[in-house]
CSV table of all heavy atoms in Angstrom, one decimal:
chain,number,residue,atom,x,y,z
A,10,ILE,N,-20.5,2.9,-7.5
A,10,ILE,CA,-20.7,2.8,-6.1
A,10,ILE,C,-19.2,3.0,-5.5
A,10,ILE,O,-18.5,2.0,-5.7
A,10,ILE,CB,-21.4,1.5,-5.6
A,10,ILE,CG1,-22.7,1.3,-6.4
A,10,ILE,CG2,-21.6,1.5,-4.1
A,10,ILE,CD1,-23.4,0.1,-6.0
A,11,GLY,N,-18.9,4.0,-4.8
A,11,GLY,CA,-17.7,4.2,-4.1
A,11,GLY,C,-16.8,5.2,-4.9
A,11,GLY,O,-16.5,5.0,-6.0
A,13,GLY,N,-13.7,6.2,-4.4
A,13,GLY,CA,-12.3,6.1,-4.0
A,13,GLY,C,-11.4,6.2,-5.4
A,13,GLY,O,-11.9,6.8,-6.4
A,14,SER,N,-10.2,5.6,-5.3
A,14,SER,CA,-9.3,5.8,-6.4
A,14,SER,C,-9.9,5.3,-7.7
A,14,SER,O,-9.9,6.0,-8.7
A,14,SER,CB,-8.0,5.0,-6.1
A,14,SER,OG,-7.6,5.3,-4.8
A,15,GLY,N,-10.5,4.1,-7.8
A,15,GLY,CA,-11.0,3.5,-9.0
A,15,GLY,C,-12.2,4.2,-9.5
A,15,GLY,O,-12.4,4.4,-10.5
A,33,ILE,N,-21.9,7.3,-6.0
A,33,ILE,CA,-22.4,7.2,-4.7
A,33,ILE,C,-21.3,7.0,-3.6
A,33,ILE,O,-20.5,6.1,-3.8
A,33,ILE,CB,-23.4,6.1,-4.5
A,33,ILE,CG1,-24.5,6.2,-5.7
A,33,ILE,CG2,-24.2,6.1,-3.2
A,33,ILE,CD1,-25.4,4.9,-5.8
A,34,GLU,N,-21.2,7.9,-2.7
A,34,GLU,CA,-20.2,7.7,-1.7
A,34,GLU,C,-20.9,7.8,-0.3
A,34,GLU,O,-21.5,8.7,0.1
A,34,GLU,CB,-19.1,8.7,-1.8
A,34,GLU,CG,-18.1,8.7,-0.7
A,34,GLU,CD,-17.4,7.4,-0.5
A,34,GLU,OE1,-16.8,6.7,-1.4
A,34,GLU,OE2,-17.4,7.0,0.8
A,35,GLU,N,-20.6,6.8,0.6
A,35,GLU,CA,-21.2,6.8,1.9
A,35,GLU,C,-20.3,7.5,3.0
A,35,GLU,O,-20.8,7.7,4.1
A,35,GLU,CB,-21.5,5.3,2.4
A,35,GLU,CG,-20.3,4.5,2.7
A,35,GLU,CD,-20.6,3.1,3.2
A,35,GLU,OE1,-21.8,2.9,3.6
A,35,GLU,OE2,-19.7,2.3,3.2
A,36,TYR,N,-19.0,7.7,2.7
A,36,TYR,CA,-18.1,8.3,3.7
A,36,TYR,C,-17.6,9.6,3.2
A,36,TYR,O,-18.2,10.7,3.2
A,36,TYR,CB,-17.1,7.3,4.1
A,36,TYR,CG,-16.2,7.7,5.3
A,36,TYR,CD1,-16.6,8.2,6.4
A,36,TYR,CD2,-14.8,7.6,5.0
A,36,TYR,CE1,-15.8,8.6,7.5
A,36,TYR,CE2,-13.9,8.0,6.1
A,36,TYR,CZ,-14.4,8.5,7.2
A,36,TYR,OH,-13.5,8.9,8.2
A,37,ARG,N,-16.3,9.6,2.6
A,37,ARG,CA,-15.8,10.8,2.2
A,37,ARG,C,-15.2,10.6,0.7
A,37,ARG,O,-14.7,9.5,0.4
A,37,ARG,CB,-14.7,11.3,3.1
A,37,ARG,CG,-15.2,11.7,4.5
A,37,ARG,CD,-14.0,12.2,5.4
A,37,ARG,NE,-13.4,13.4,4.8
A,37,ARG,CZ,-12.4,14.0,5.5
A,37,ARG,NH1,-11.9,13.5,6.6
A,37,ARG,NH2,-11.9,15.1,4.9
A,40,GLY,N,-11.9,8.3,-1.0
A,40,GLY,CA,-11.7,6.8,-0.6
A,40,GLY,C,-10.5,6.6,0.3
A,40,GLY,O,-9.9,7.5,0.9
A,41,THR,N,-10.1,5.4,0.5
A,41,THR,CA,-9.1,4.9,1.4
A,41,THR,C,-7.8,5.7,1.2
A,41,THR,O,-7.2,6.2,2.1
A,41,THR,CB,-8.9,3.4,1.2
A,41,THR,OG1,-10.1,2.7,1.4
A,41,THR,CG2,-7.9,3.0,2.3
A,42,CYS,N,-7.4,5.8,-0.1
A,42,CYS,CA,-6.1,6.4,-0.3
A,42,CYS,C,-5.9,7.8,0.3
A,42,CYS,O,-5.0,8.1,0.9
A,42,CYS,CB,-5.8,6.4,-1.8
A,42,CYS,SG,-4.3,7.1,-2.3
A,45,ARG,N,-7.8,7.8,4.4
A,45,ARG,CA,-7.2,6.9,5.5
A,45,ARG,C,-6.2,5.9,5.0
A,45,ARG,O,-6.2,4.7,5.4
A,45,ARG,CB,-8.2,6.4,6.4
A,45,ARG,CG,-9.5,5.8,5.7
A,45,ARG,CD,-10.5,5.5,6.6
A,45,ARG,NE,-11.7,4.8,6.2
A,45,ARG,CZ,-12.8,4.7,6.8
A,45,ARG,NH1,-12.9,5.2,8.0
A,45,ARG,NH2,-13.9,4.0,6.2
A,46,GLY,N,-5.4,6.3,4.0
A,46,GLY,CA,-4.5,5.4,3.4
A,46,GLY,C,-3.2,6.0,3.0
A,46,GLY,O,-2.6,6.7,3.8
A,47,CYS,N,-2.8,5.9,1.7
A,47,CYS,CA,-1.6,6.3,1.2
A,47,CYS,C,-1.2,7.7,1.7
A,47,CYS,O,-0.1,8.0,2.1
A,47,CYS,CB,-1.6,6.3,-0.4
A,47,CYS,SG,-2.8,5.2,-1.1
A,50,LYS,N,-0.9,8.4,5.4
A,50,LYS,CA,0.2,7.5,5.9
A,50,LYS,C,1.6,8.1,5.5
A,50,LYS,O,2.5,8.2,6.4
A,50,LYS,CB,0.0,6.2,5.3
A,50,LYS,CG,0.9,5.0,5.5
A,50,LYS,CD,2.2,4.9,4.7
A,50,LYS,CE,2.0,4.9,3.2
A,50,LYS,NZ,1.7,3.6,2.5
A,112,ASP,N,-24.6,8.9,0.0
A,112,ASP,CA,-25.5,7.9,0.5
A,112,ASP,C,-24.7,6.5,0.5
A,112,ASP,O,-23.6,6.5,0.0
A,112,ASP,CB,-26.7,7.9,-0.4
A,112,ASP,CG,-27.9,7.4,0.5
A,112,ASP,OD1,-27.8,6.5,1.3
A,112,ASP,OD2,-29.0,8.0,0.3
A,113,ARG,N,-25.4,5.5,1.0
A,113,ARG,CA,-24.9,4.2,0.7
A,113,ARG,C,-25.6,3.5,-0.4
A,113,ARG,O,-26.9,3.5,-0.4
A,113,ARG,CB,-25.1,3.3,2.0
A,113,ARG,CG,-24.7,2.0,2.0
A,113,ARG,CD,-24.7,1.2,3.3
A,113,ARG,NE,-24.4,-0.2,3.0
A,113,ARG,CZ,-23.3,-0.8,2.8
A,113,ARG,NH1,-22.2,-0.1,2.8
A,113,ARG,NH2,-23.1,-2.0,2.6
A,114,GLY,N,-24.9,2.9,-1.3
A,114,GLY,CA,-25.5,2.3,-2.6
A,114,GLY,C,-25.6,0.8,-2.2
A,114,GLY,O,-24.7,0.2,-1.8
A,139,ALA,N,-17.0,-0.1,-7.0
A,139,ALA,CA,-15.7,0.3,-6.6
A,139,ALA,C,-15.7,0.6,-5.1
A,139,ALA,O,-15.3,1.8,-4.7
A,139,ALA,CB,-15.3,1.5,-7.4
A,140,THR,N,-16.1,-0.3,-4.3
A,140,THR,CA,-16.3,-0.1,-2.9
A,140,THR,C,-15.0,-0.4,-2.0
A,140,THR,O,-15.1,-0.2,-0.7
A,140,THR,CB,-17.4,-0.9,-2.4
A,140,THR,OG1,-17.2,-2.3,-2.8
A,140,THR,CG2,-18.8,-0.4,-2.9
A,141,GLY,N,-14.0,-0.8,-2.7
A,141,GLY,CA,-12.7,-0.9,-1.9
A,141,GLY,C,-12.7,-2.0,-0.9
A,141,GLY,O,-13.4,-3.1,-1.0
A,158,SER,N,-5.7,0.6,11.1
A,158,SER,CA,-5.1,1.8,10.5
A,158,SER,C,-6.1,2.9,10.4
A,158,SER,O,-5.8,4.1,10.5
A,158,SER,CB,-4.7,1.5,9.0
A,158,SER,OG,-5.7,0.9,8.3
A,178,TYR,N,2.8,-4.8,4.4
A,178,TYR,CA,3.5,-3.4,4.3
A,178,TYR,C,2.8,-2.5,5.2
A,178,TYR,O,3.5,-1.5,5.8
A,178,TYR,CB,3.5,-3.0,2.9
A,178,TYR,CG,2.2,-2.4,2.2
A,178,TYR,CD1,2.0,-1.1,2.4
A,178,TYR,CD2,1.3,-3.2,1.7
A,178,TYR,CE1,0.9,-0.5,1.8
A,178,TYR,CE2,0.3,-2.7,1.1
A,178,TYR,CZ,0.0,-1.3,1.2
A,178,TYR,OH,-1.2,-0.9,0.6
A,179,ILE,N,1.6,-2.5,5.5
A,179,ILE,CA,0.9,-1.6,6.4
A,179,ILE,C,1.5,-1.7,7.8
A,179,ILE,O,1.7,-0.7,8.5
A,179,ILE,CB,-0.6,-1.6,6.3
A,179,ILE,CG1,-1.1,-1.3,4.9
A,179,ILE,CG2,-1.3,-0.7,7.4
A,179,ILE,CD1,-2.6,-1.4,4.7
A,264,ARG,N,-6.7,-7.0,4.9
A,264,ARG,CA,-7.9,-6.3,4.5
A,264,ARG,C,-8.9,-7.2,3.7
A,264,ARG,O,-8.4,-8.1,3.1
A,264,ARG,CB,-7.5,-5.0,3.6
A,264,ARG,CG,-6.7,-4.0,4.5
A,264,ARG,CD,-6.3,-2.9,3.6
A,264,ARG,NE,-7.3,-2.0,3.1
A,264,ARG,CZ,-8.0,-1.1,3.7
A,264,ARG,NH1,-7.8,-0.9,5.0
A,264,ARG,NH2,-9.1,-0.5,3.1
A,271,LEU,N,-24.0,-5.5,0.2
A,271,LEU,CA,-24.0,-4.7,-1.1
A,271,LEU,C,-25.1,-5.2,-2.1
A,271,LEU,O,-25.2,-4.6,-3.1
A,271,LEU,CB,-22.5,-4.8,-1.6
A,271,LEU,CG,-22.1,-3.8,-2.6
A,271,LEU,CD1,-22.3,-2.4,-2.0
A,271,LEU,CD2,-20.7,-4.0,-3.0
A,303,GLY,N,-10.7,-2.2,-8.6
A,303,GLY,CA,-10.0,-1.8,-7.3
A,303,GLY,C,-10.0,-2.9,-6.3
A,303,GLY,O,-10.2,-4.1,-6.6
A,304,ASP,N,-9.9,-2.5,-5.0
A,304,ASP,CA,-9.6,-3.5,-3.9
A,304,ASP,C,-10.7,-4.4,-3.8
A,304,ASP,O,-10.5,-5.5,-3.3
A,304,ASP,CB,-9.4,-2.7,-2.6
A,304,ASP,CG,-8.1,-2.1,-2.5
A,304,ASP,OD1,-7.4,-2.0,-3.5
A,304,ASP,OD2,-7.8,-1.5,-1.4
A,310,ALA,N,-4.0,-4.7,-4.5
A,310,ALA,CA,-4.6,-3.6,-3.7
A,310,ALA,C,-3.7,-2.4,-3.6
A,310,ALA,O,-3.1,-2.1,-2.5
A,310,ALA,CB,-5.0,-4.2,-2.3
A,311,LEU,N,-3.6,-1.6,-4.7
A,311,LEU,CA,-2.8,-0.4,-4.8
A,311,LEU,C,-3.6,0.7,-5.5
A,311,LEU,O,-4.3,0.4,-6.5
A,311,LEU,CB,-1.5,-0.7,-5.5
A,311,LEU,CG,-0.5,-1.6,-4.8
A,311,LEU,CD1,0.6,-2.1,-5.8
A,311,LEU,CD2,0.1,-0.9,-3.5
A,312,THR,N,-3.5,1.8,-5.0
A,312,THR,CA,-4.2,3.0,-5.8
A,312,THR,C,-4.0,3.1,-7.3
A,312,THR,O,-4.9,3.1,-8.0
A,312,THR,CB,-3.8,4.3,-5.0
A,312,THR,OG1,-4.5,4.4,-3.9
A,312,THR,CG2,-4.1,5.5,-5.9
A,313,PRO,N,-2.7,3.0,-7.7
A,313,PRO,CA,-2.5,3.2,-9.1
A,313,PRO,C,-3.1,2.1,-9.9
A,313,PRO,O,-3.5,2.3,-11.1
A,313,PRO,CB,-0.9,3.2,-9.3
A,313,PRO,CG,-0.4,3.6,-8.0
A,313,PRO,CD,-1.4,3.0,-7.0
A,315,ALA,N,-5.9,0.5,-8.9
A,315,ALA,CA,-7.4,0.8,-9.0
A,315,ALA,C,-7.7,1.8,-10.1
A,315,ALA,O,-8.8,1.7,-10.8
A,315,ALA,CB,-7.8,1.2,-7.6
B,1,FAD,P1,-11.3,2.9,-2.0
B,1,FAD,O1,-10.2,3.9,-2.2
B,1,FAD,O2,-11.1,2.1,-0.6
B,1,FAD,O3,-12.7,3.5,-2.1
B,1,FAD,C1,-13.8,2.8,-1.9
B,1,FAD,C2,-14.9,3.8,-1.6
B,1,FAD,O4,-16.2,3.3,-1.4
B,1,FAD,C3,-14.7,4.3,-0.1
B,1,FAD,O5,-14.8,5.8,-0.1
B,1,FAD,C4,-16.0,3.8,0.7
B,1,FAD,O6,-16.4,4.7,1.7
B,1,FAD,C5,-16.9,3.7,-0.4
B,1,FAD,N1,-18.0,2.7,-0.2
B,1,FAD,C6,-17.9,1.4,0.2
B,1,FAD,N2,-19.1,0.8,0.2
B,1,FAD,C7,-20.0,1.8,-0.2
B,1,FAD,C8,-21.4,1.6,-0.4
B,1,FAD,N3,-22.0,0.6,-0.3
B,1,FAD,N4,-22.0,2.8,-0.9
B,1,FAD,C9,-21.3,4.0,-1.1
B,1,FAD,N5,-19.9,4.1,-0.8
B,1,FAD,C10,-19.3,2.9,-0.4
B,1,FAD,N6,-1.8,2.0,-2.1
B,1,FAD,C11,-0.8,2.6,-2.7
B,1,FAD,O7,-0.7,2.4,-3.9
B,1,FAD,N7,0.2,3.1,-2.0
B,1,FAD,C12,0.2,3.2,-0.7
B,1,FAD,O8,1.2,3.9,-0.1
B,1,FAD,C13,-0.8,2.7,0.1
B,1,FAD,N8,-0.9,2.9,1.4
B,1,FAD,C14,-2.1,2.5,2.0
B,1,FAD,C15,-2.0,2.6,3.4
B,1,FAD,C16,-3.1,2.2,4.2
B,1,FAD,C17,-3.1,2.4,5.7
B,1,FAD,C18,-4.2,1.5,3.5
B,1,FAD,C19,-5.4,1.1,4.2
B,1,FAD,C20,-4.1,1.4,2.1
B,1,FAD,C21,-3.1,1.8,1.4
B,1,FAD,N9,-3.0,1.7,0.0
B,1,FAD,C22,-1.9,2.1,-0.7
B,1,FAD,C23,-4.0,1.0,-0.8
B,1,FAD,C24,-5.0,2.0,-1.5
B,1,FAD,O9,-5.5,2.9,-0.5
B,1,FAD,C25,-6.1,1.2,-2.1
B,1,FAD,O10,-5.6,0.2,-3.0
B,1,FAD,C26,-7.0,2.1,-2.9
B,1,FAD,O11,-7.6,3.1,-2.1
B,1,FAD,C27,-8.2,1.2,-3.6
B,1,FAD,O12,-9.1,2.1,-4.3
B,1,FAD,P2,-10.6,1.6,-4.5
B,1,FAD,O13,-11.1,2.6,-5.5
B,1,FAD,O14,-10.6,0.2,-4.8
B,1,FAD,O15,-11.3,1.7,-3.2
Side-chain angles (χ1 to χ4, degrees):
I10 309 179
S14 310
I33 310 170
E34 173 55 53
E35 66 175 347
Y36 183 53
R37 294 182 64 181
T41 304
C42 175
R45 45 193 183 189
C47 334
K50 183 268 313 271
D112 208 320
R113 178 173 170 75
T140 51
S158 56
Y178 81 91
I179 294 177
R264 293 177 62 81
L271 203 56
D304 286 9
L311 292 165
T312 280

